[in-house]
């Protein structure tokens, strides 16, 4: 097996492992032991250090930020309307989720969601 193929398989294993870890945090560890968030942060830091990642290798560029934002807005607007429409169709107005009405929980949820969105989906 060529070294390139072994590296690609390791990327897949790492991505699946991180997704499993995030799932465990969301469904089990967050309520049982809220301080376990550092495991996710440590994974990201160790991964970036071992791979010698830079903003450029992650696909982050400041020179095309405005152009990328203009291209992304239509997609996110349509996706937001679709998700909200699906929520209304499925009865979201019957009850408000706790993470949206408790200030303590909302801040943590918002930061977690925003950070993971920008870490996993580079522009």
């Amino acid at each position: 097996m060529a070294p390139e193929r072994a590296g690609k398989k390791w990327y897949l294993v790492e991505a699946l492992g991180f997704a499993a870890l995030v799932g465990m945090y969301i469904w089990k560890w967050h309520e049982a032991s809220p301080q376990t968030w550092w495991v996710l942060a440590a994974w990201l830091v160790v991964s970036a250090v071992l791979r010698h990642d830079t903003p450029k290798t992650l696909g982050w560029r400041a020179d095309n930020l405005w152009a990328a934002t203009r291209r992304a807005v239509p997609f996110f607007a349509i996706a937001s309307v679709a998700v909200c429409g699906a929520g209304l169709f499925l009865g979201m107005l019957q009850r408000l989720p706790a993470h949206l009405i408790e200030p303590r929980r909302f801040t943590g949820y918002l930061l977690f969601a925003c950070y993971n969105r920008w870490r996993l989906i580079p522009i």
Side-chain angles (χ1 to χ4, degrees), residues 10-88:
W10 179 247
Y11 289 141
L12 177 63
V13 169
E14 183 183 4
L16 293 174
F18 186 73
L21 192 65
V22 168
M24 286 295 296
Y25 177 77
I26 290 172
W27 295 106
K28 299 280 185 187
W29 299 340
H30 182 68
E31 290 295 325
S33 180
Q35 300 305 322
T36 55
W37 64 268
W38 66 268
V39 175
L40 298 171
W43 182 304
L44 294 175
V45 169
V46 169
S47 175
V49 168
L50 290 177
R51 297 185 190 288
H52 306 289
D53 283 336
T54 64
K56 185 176 181 180
T57 62
L58 292 173
W60 298 349
R61 294 175 31 200
D63 63 332
N64 74 336
L65 184 61
W66 181 244
T69 301
R70 283 186 298 164
R71 288 182 56 203
V73 163
F75 168 77
F76 285 110
I78 292 168
S80 297
V81 168
V83 168
C84 291
L88 287 171

